[in-house]
Amino acid sequence: MGVSADDLARLGSADPAVAGQALDGIFAKLSAEEPDGAFSFDGSQSGILAASGHAAVYYSSESASLIVLLAGFDLGEVYLVDFDEENLDYGNPSIQAKAVVDRESLKMFVMEAAGYIRQALETGDPAAQSEARLAMRNPNGPWKHGSIYLYIYDSVNEQTVFNGGFPDRFAFLNAGISRDFDNSNDDSDEVVPKVGYALELVVPVTRQVGTTTTYEFIVGSGYYPDEVAAARQRKSMSLKAWPLRFGRTVSQQMVDALQDRFAASPQAGLELTVAGECLNSTTPLEENQEALSKLLGLETVTS
């Protein structure tokens, strides 16, 4: 697309100043000309396997960013870069999605998310912003738990630019009333109400290439009261059932221990009188019906 080979080479420099200067050159070239053209790789260039297609670059003046449109390019797993989800920067939120149980905790969760998003934007680093998107979509992280997830709505373009619950269905779509507001875990046709909270932010961002832009967006989340109530009921029932399970376990252990003792033969040389009955080393206690009957206060005792 006309980008100089020198700039491409210097883009991977370990020196931030060199890499930044190369990025400035690439950005200026592509944003000024918005080129397009066919491409083809034979497998020897940049480690990319054989692929061909057509690419076009578009410059967004609103977000001061470049958009690359690819056609005919098979974006398979061999082209993707693996990431370590454990080492993603999730921030350090004081409350996580799994702890959202009421309006107050929901409000705190959204406010923590707004701070995390603001920090990622203010870096001006596309890589850091991409990492934040991955972190907010990861169900093993603090920002998503079941039906509780984050969304970001672009106030200027009036589009949902991020949806942590359904990224393939609702990201980069015009917002509106849709089944996104229904509980996907509910199989009935009834619309289940969701309690939501949203916060509007305006964040000025200075990019690495020196341009400054302003992001105006809404970040929000929500929870289904029915799910929270059901979870609380399950927890309550579990706590009530615990003493019963504990009692049954301990009782069974005691019975087993006593049974072993009753079945054991007395040690050699034992001479003992229990309830008026003489016990010696020849008869286990469980076989001495008369002694057990008197000891336990029962008329008859069986094994």
Side-chain angles (χ1 to χ4, degrees), residues 93-113 142-143 148 150 195-197 221-223 228 232:
S94 61
I95 182 172
Q96 300 186 10
K98 62 183 179 182
V100 173
V101 295
D102 52 25
R103 293 176 183 270
E104 187 61 30
S105 57
L106 174 62
K107 179 180 178 180
M108 292 176 59
F109 175 66
V110 173
M111 293 180 68
E112 289 285 318
W143 303 111
I148 302 173
L150 295 164
V195 176
Y197 182 81
S221 184
Y223 73 95
V228 173
R232 285 176 171 172

Side-chain angles (χ1 to χ4, degrees), residues 180-192:
D180 182 32
F181 296 101
D182 190 22
N183 190 349
S184 58
N185 297 327
D186 183 23
D187 296 331
S188 68
D189 292 331
E190 297 182 1
V191 177
V192 181

Side-chain angles (χ1 to χ4, degrees), residues 96-99 109 138-139 141-149 227:
Q96 300 186 10
K98 62 183 179 182
F109 175 66
N138 188 359
W143 303 111
K144 182 180 179 181
H145 180 72
S147 61
I148 302 173
Y149 55 85
E227 282 191 351

Side-chain angles (χ1 to χ4, degrees), residues 23-185:
L23 183 60
D24 285 345
I26 294 173
F27 190 90
K29 174 70 177 179
L30 296 180
S31 61
E33 298 185 7
E34 298 186 4
D36 70 278
F39 66 88
S40 178
F41 298 122
D42 60 7
S44 62
Q45 296 168 283
S46 303
I48 299 179
L49 300 181
S52 61
H54 195 95
V57 175
Y58 299 92
Y59 176 67
S60 171
S61 58
E62 293 180 346
S63 61
S65 61
L66 298 171
I67 301 171
V68 180
L69 176 64
L70 299 175
F73 181 64
D74 181 16
L75 189 62
E77 291 185 4
V78 292
Y79 304 112
L80 303 180
V81 178
D82 292 330
F83 73 95
D84 185 356
E85 66 178 30
E86 293 184 359
N87 292 326
L88 282 176
D89 182 8
Y90 294 99
N92 188 26
S94 61
I95 182 172
Q96 300 186 10
K98 62 183 179 182
V100 173
V101 295
D102 52 25
R103 293 176 183 270
E104 187 61 30
S105 57
L106 174 62
K107 179 180 178 180
M108 292 176 59
F109 175 66
V110 173
M111 293 180 68
E112 289 285 318
Y116 175 72
I117 296 170
R118 178 190 291 272
Q119 185 178 20
L121 289 175
E122 288 179 343
T123 64
D125 182 7
Q129 295 164 15
S130 296
E131 183 175 342
R133 297 175 71 90
L134 290 172
M136 289 188 293
R137 286 204 305 258
N138 188 359
N140 298 320
W143 303 111
K144 182 180 179 181
H145 180 72
S147 61
I148 302 173
Y149 55 85
L150 295 164
Y151 65 85
I152 301 176
Y153 175 74
D154 188 324
S155 304
V156 177
N157 297 315
E158 298 183 348
Q159 281 191 341
T160 301
V161 295
F162 175 82
N163 187 298
F166 306 93
D168 296 331
R169 290 173 56 191
F170 297 106
F172 298 102
L173 294 179
N174 292 332
I177 301 301
S178 68
R179 289 192 64 83
D180 182 32
F181 296 101
D182 190 22
N183 190 349
S184 58
N185 297 327

